């Protein structure tokens, strides 16, 4: 048998390194993906999903939202801010959709607060 040439050794080594890279990359991806998938399934089944903007839990049953408490929290949060931000505006818009018709006085207060934040 003849000795392998330098080019053959280089090609064989490159093939081994590529295969090892595939195993490491795919294995790392699975180590991240599978726990995430389990967490999503668990969160959906237990109604424990968080909104990344507000950090508050999101539920499938939106009737459980306490409109007065949410309005109070928005007013307190507005007092701590210097100007209108998405972190305040997104929950405000969600409050409008769920609560505006049932609580016109709170709506007036929040609309005025939002206007004040816009003017700052």
């Amino acid at each position: 048998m003849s000795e392998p040439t330098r080019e053959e050794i280089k090609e064989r080594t490159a093939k081994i390194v590529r295969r090892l890279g595939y195993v490491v990359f795919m294995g790392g991806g699975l180590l991240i993906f599978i726990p995430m998938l389990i967490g999503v399934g668990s969160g959906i089944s237990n109604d424990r999903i968080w909104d990344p903007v507000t950090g508050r839990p999101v539920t499938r049953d939106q009737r459980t939202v306490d409109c007065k408490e949410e309005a109070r929290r928005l007013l307190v949060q507005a007092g701590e801010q210097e100007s209108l931000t998405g972190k305040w505006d997104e929950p405000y818009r969600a409050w409008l959709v769920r609560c505006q018709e049932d609580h016109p006085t709170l709506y007036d207060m929040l609309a005025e607060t939002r206007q004040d934040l816009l003017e700052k």
Side-chain angles (χ1 to χ4, degrees), residues 15-31:
K15 186 186 281 188
I16 291 170
V17 169
R18 257 193 316 274
R19 287 182 180 168
L20 183 61
Y22 294 149
V23 168
V24 169
F25 179 73
M26 294 298 207
L30 283 176
L31 285 174

Side-chain angles (χ1 to χ4, degrees), residues 67 92-108 110:
C67 291
Y92 167 74
R93 291 176 190 206
W95 187 92
L96 287 178
V97 170
R98 291 188 303 256
C99 305
Q100 178 180 359
E101 291 179 8
D102 297 334
H103 302 281
T105 306
L106 289 175
Y107 166 70
D108 291 340
L110 287 171

Side-chain angles (χ1 to χ4, degrees), residues 17-105:
V17 169
R18 257 193 316 274
R19 287 182 180 168
L20 183 61
Y22 294 149
V23 168
V24 169
F25 179 73
M26 294 298 207
L30 283 176
L31 285 174
I32 292 171
F33 179 73
I34 291 184
M36 286 175 59
L37 192 60
I38 292 169
V40 167
S42 171
I44 290 171
S45 67
N46 295 324
D47 278 337
R48 293 180 184 244
I49 305 167
W50 281 266
D51 181 359
V53 175
T54 63
R56 300 188 53 125
V58 176
T59 62
R60 285 183 271 168
D61 183 15
Q62 293 297 330
R63 292 181 307 246
T64 61
V65 174
D66 182 5
C67 291
K68 291 179 183 179
E69 177 60 28
E70 187 70 17
R72 184 198 65 76
R73 189 188 63 74
L74 283 168
L75 289 170
V76 169
Q77 187 180 9
E80 298 169 352
Q81 293 189 350
E82 296 179 15
S83 64
L84 185 64
T85 62
K87 189 174 181 178
W88 190 88
D89 204 34
E90 289 299 319
Y92 167 74
R93 291 176 190 206
W95 187 92
L96 287 178
V97 170
R98 291 188 303 256
C99 305
Q100 178 180 359
E101 291 179 8
D102 297 334
H103 302 281
T105 306

